Protein backbone atom coordinates (compact mmCIF):
# COMPACT_ATOMS: atom_id res chain seq x y z
CA UNK A 1 0.00 0.00 0.00
CA UNK A 2 1.33 3.41 -1.00
CA UNK A 3 1.13 6.01 1.75
CA UNK A 4 0.88 9.57 0.45
CA UNK A 5 2.23 12.37 2.54
CA UNK A 6 0.06 15.45 2.25
CA UNK A 7 2.37 18.42 2.17
CA UNK A 8 -0.15 21.25 2.03
CA UNK A 9 -3.22 22.63 0.38
CA UNK A 10 -2.77 25.15 -2.42
CA UNK A 11 -5.47 27.50 -3.66
CA UNK A 12 -5.77 27.50 -7.44
CA UNK A 13 -8.21 30.18 -8.62
CA UNK A 14 -10.43 29.61 -5.60
CA UNK A 15 -10.20 25.81 -5.61
CA UNK A 16 -8.23 23.91 -2.97
CA UNK A 17 -5.83 21.27 -4.24
CA UNK A 18 -4.04 18.73 -2.09
CA UNK A 19 -0.31 18.92 -2.74
CA UNK A 20 1.38 15.63 -1.89
CA UNK A 21 4.61 13.72 -2.24
CA UNK A 22 4.24 10.37 -4.02
CA UNK A 23 7.69 9.20 -5.07
CA UNK A 24 6.78 5.52 -5.27
CA UNK A 25 3.65 5.94 -7.40
CA UNK A 26 5.17 8.51 -9.74
CA UNK A 27 8.37 6.52 -10.20
CA UNK A 28 6.28 3.52 -11.32
CA UNK A 29 4.60 5.78 -13.90
CA UNK A 30 7.90 7.30 -14.99
CA UNK A 31 6.82 10.81 -13.96
CA UNK A 32 8.22 13.44 -11.63
CA UNK A 33 4.80 14.98 -11.00
CA UNK A 34 1.13 14.85 -11.88
CA UNK A 35 -1.87 17.17 -11.69
CA UNK A 36 -5.22 15.46 -11.31
CA UNK A 37 -7.69 18.21 -12.02
CA UNK A 38 -10.87 16.33 -11.21
CA UNK A 39 -9.66 14.93 -7.90
CA UNK A 40 -7.97 18.28 -7.06
CA UNK A 41 -4.63 16.63 -6.38
CA UNK A 42 -1.08 17.56 -7.29
CA UNK A 43 1.61 15.02 -6.53
CA UNK A 44 5.35 15.27 -7.01
CA UNK A 45 8.31 13.08 -6.21
CA UNK A 46 10.18 14.09 -3.08
CA UNK A 47 13.08 16.41 -3.73
CA UNK A 48 15.87 13.91 -2.93
CA UNK A 49 14.31 11.49 -5.46
CA UNK A 50 14.48 13.93 -8.37
CA UNK A 51 17.00 13.34 -11.16
CA UNK A 52 19.64 10.65 -10.70
CA UNK A 53 21.30 9.50 -7.48
CA UNK A 54 24.68 11.12 -8.26
CA UNK A 55 23.14 14.55 -8.93
CA UNK A 56 23.84 17.08 -6.21
CA UNK A 57 21.18 18.49 -3.91
CA UNK A 58 21.21 21.87 -5.67
CA UNK A 59 20.32 20.26 -9.01
CA UNK A 60 17.62 18.16 -7.34
CA UNK A 61 16.13 21.30 -5.70
CA UNK A 62 16.06 23.13 -9.06
CA UNK A 63 14.24 20.19 -10.66
CA UNK A 64 11.84 19.83 -7.72
CA UNK A 65 10.86 23.51 -7.88
CA UNK A 66 10.41 23.31 -11.65
CA UNK A 67 8.16 20.23 -11.37
CA UNK A 68 6.08 21.91 -8.65
CA UNK A 69 5.59 24.99 -10.87
CA UNK A 70 4.80 22.78 -13.86
CA UNK A 71 2.03 20.87 -12.11
CA UNK A 72 0.55 24.02 -10.55
CA UNK A 73 0.45 25.68 -13.99
CA UNK A 74 -1.53 22.68 -15.26
CA UNK A 75 -3.98 23.26 -12.40
CA UNK A 76 -4.29 26.98 -13.21
CA UNK A 77 -5.07 26.28 -16.85
CA UNK A 78 -7.55 23.55 -15.89
CA UNK A 79 -9.37 25.69 -13.32
CA UNK A 80 -9.51 28.58 -15.81
CA UNK A 81 -11.22 26.32 -18.36
CA UNK A 82 -8.27 26.60 -20.74
CA UNK A 83 -8.06 22.92 -21.65
CA UNK A 84 -6.29 23.68 -24.93
CA UNK A 85 -3.40 25.16 -22.91
CA UNK A 86 -3.66 22.68 -20.06
CA UNK A 87 -2.75 19.91 -22.48
CA UNK A 88 0.08 21.88 -24.12
CA UNK A 89 3.19 20.45 -22.43
CA UNK A 90 5.48 22.82 -24.35
CA UNK A 91 3.66 25.91 -23.07
CA UNK A 92 3.38 24.57 -19.53
CA UNK A 93 7.08 23.66 -19.48
CA UNK A 94 8.05 27.05 -20.92
CA UNK A 95 6.18 28.83 -18.14
CA UNK A 96 7.50 26.50 -15.43
CA UNK A 97 11.12 26.99 -16.51
CA UNK A 98 10.94 30.72 -17.22
CA UNK A 99 8.60 31.97 -14.49
CA UNK A 100 11.45 32.75 -12.04
CA UNK A 101 13.07 34.97 -14.68
CA UNK A 102 9.75 36.64 -15.42
CA UNK A 103 9.08 37.16 -11.71
CA UNK A 104 12.53 38.72 -11.23
CA UNK A 105 11.94 41.18 -14.08
CA UNK A 106 8.43 42.08 -12.91
CA UNK A 107 9.63 42.66 -9.35
CA UNK A 108 12.62 44.69 -10.52
CA UNK A 109 10.34 46.91 -12.58
CA UNK A 110 7.77 47.23 -9.78
CA UNK A 111 5.08 45.56 -11.83
CA UNK A 112 4.00 43.25 -9.02
CA UNK A 113 2.27 44.50 -5.91
Amino acid sequence: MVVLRKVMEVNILGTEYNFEHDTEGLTKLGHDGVCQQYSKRIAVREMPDMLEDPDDIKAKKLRYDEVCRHEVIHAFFGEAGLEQYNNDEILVSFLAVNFPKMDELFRKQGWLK
Side-chain angles (χ1 to χ4, degrees):
M1 180 172 113
V2 176
V3 177
L4 299 176
R5 186 165 60 93
K6 184 174 168 182
V7 177
M8 67 181 118
E9 287 188 353
V10 292
N11 187 298
I12 308 292
L13 299 178
T15 300
E16 295 295 325
Y17 275 69
N18 287 326
F19 187 95
E20 305 165 339
H21 286 140
D22 182 7
T23 294
E24 183 179 333
L26 291 168
T27 300
K28 286 178 184 176
L29 295 173
H31 299 299
D32 286 337
V34 66
C35 175
Q36 297 172 326
Q37 180 183 350
Y38 295 105
S39 60
K40 309 303 181 205
R41 175 181 177 258
I42 295 170
V44 298
R45 294 170 70 183
E46 293 190 71
M47 195 259 300
D49 298 320
M50 292 287 172
L51 301 173
E52 302 295 324
D53 285 338
D55 288 308
D56 66 19
I57 199 72
K58 183 178 178 183
K60 291 174 180 278
K61 173 70 169 139
L62 288 170
R63 177 62 181 161
Y64 175 82
D65 290 346
E66 181 182 302
V67 171
C68 291
R69 290 190 304 267
H70 182 102
E71 300 309 333
V72 166
I73 289 167
H74 273 300
F76 270 100
F77 281 146
E79 291 303 316
L82 299 171
E83 292 303 319
Q84 69 275 27
Y85 301 122
N86 189 19
N87 297 319
D88 186 337
E89 288 295 326
I90 294 171
L91 176 60
V92 171
S93 290
F94 169 83
L95 290 170
V97 168
N98 290 294
F99 185 83
K101 299 170 202 166
M102 296 164 63
D103 181 64
E104 181 180 348
L105 171 69
F106 296 160
R107 289 184 189 284
K108 182 179 178 182
Q109 297 301 321
W111 295 336
L112 292 177
K113 297 187 188 243

